[in-house]
Amino acid sequence: MKLIQKLGIALMLCVGAASFTVSAEPLYDKMRGTTPLLEAPKPPVLGNAINDDVRRTRNYPQQPPVIPHRIDGYQIDKNFNKCMDCHSRSKAEISQAIPVSITHYQDRDGNTLGQISTRRYFCVQCHVGQDNVKPLVGNTFQDVDSVILNALKNPANSSKKH
Ligand code: HEC
Ligand code: HEC
């Protein structure tokens, strides 16, 4: 190979390497930080879950209510469901917990069962405890009451939407 060709190839390789390093800006995610997608980030230490026993307003009627008490160490596996020890219909009087609603006894065909439905067995799939921390991402959700109130205040805006 002629010297000039060798130089040309070397130059092309340099340009390629340079453009690669420029475009490979690390991805930043609020929860993962700059950990690459294929690597697991170090999990943050467990927080101090809110335990004030104050039931929170639901943002919409279908929202699974959040848990206002600690749940550390509550067993939920094929042998036992600690949550149902308090939240089942028959335990409500002793525990004063809100019994799970009828949807928790329904199978996917809408049949009401005598026991908690397997679809609702693993409570923490849907219900979560709360930590007293700053939200990681912003949220502009408005509940239906605010939407109705705004519509009453500005009837012109709301009629346009229909
Ligand atoms: C020792 C009894 C007890 C156990 C066990 C228990 N809870 Fe509760 N839970 C309560 C009581 C009592 C309340 C009412 C608010 C309060 O006192 O914290 C409640 C409130 C809740 C609420 C709020 C309901 C609403 O309408 O706002 C949710 C959701 C909930 N619990 C889920 C769970 C889940 C999930 C588990 C298992 C991981 C669990 N609870 C285990 C007693 C219990
Ligand atoms: C697949 C999601 C899902 C799972 C799993 C689930 N829930 Fe719920 N839960 C909901 C939703 C949605 C609501 C609110 C609407 C409703 O009642 O269906 C709710 C409501 C509740 C309420 C309030 C009931 C009321 O009448 O105000 C309690 C208490 C509760 N769940 C406890 C539990 C417990 C305890 C478990 C585990 C045995 C559980 N949930 C499993 C979705 C779920």
Side-chain angles (χ1 to χ4, degrees):
M1 208 187 275
K2 280 188 192 141
L3 181 67
I4 188 82
Q5 277 177 328
K6 280 190 192 156
L7 280 176
I9 291 170
L11 188 69
M12 267 160 31
L13 286 176
C14 286
V15 171
S19 62
F20 178 73
T21 43
V22 169
S23 64
E25 227 174 71
L27 173 92
Y28 179 76
D29 177 85
K30 288 247 185 180
M31 293 183 87
R32 307 177 52 86
T34 51
T35 312
L37 281 179
L38 294 179
E39 285 169 31
K42 193 168 170 261
V45 288
L46 285 180
N48 193 12
I50 289 176
N51 196 29
D52 60 13
D53 296 332
V54 178
R55 294 171 69 189
R56 302 301 195 276
T57 307
R58 295 182 208 181
N59 291 318
Y60 48 93
Q62 304 90 330
Q63 182 199 316
V66 296
I67 309 174
H69 57 70
R70 298 189 72 138
I71 55 164
D72 317 25
Y74 286 172
Q75 183 182 348
I76 314 176
D77 57 23
K78 74 177 169 53
N79 300 319
F80 189 63
N81 185 317
K82 179 64 188 167
C83 311
M84 290 302 278
D85 217 13
C86 291
H87 283 280
S88 66
R89 180 190 58 83
S90 53
K91 299 283 175 57
E93 189 170 349
I94 309 162
S95 66
Q96 286 299 301
I98 307 95
V100 296
S101 57
I102 186 69
T103 57
H104 295 63
Y105 293 98
Q106 283 163 348
D107 68 11
R108 65 178 178 185
D109 300 318
N111 303 315
T112 302
L113 314 171
Q115 284 179 319
I116 190 92
S117 168
T118 46
R119 300 159 82 211
R120 296 273 164 123
Y121 188 82
F122 293 104
C123 319
V124 288
Q125 261 178 281
C126 304
H127 298 281
V128 284
Q130 301 292 292
D131 262 25
N132 199 5
V133 291
K134 216 172 127 246
L136 286 166
V137 289
N139 188 349
T140 55
F141 176 81
Q142 289 191 332
D143 72 1
V144 70
D145 293 348
S146 325
V147 174
I148 293 173
L149 203 66
N150 285 342
L152 290 175
K153 277 196 208 144
N154 312 304
N157 285 353
S158 69
S159 62
K160 255 186 244 160
K161 283 185 195 133
H162 294 297

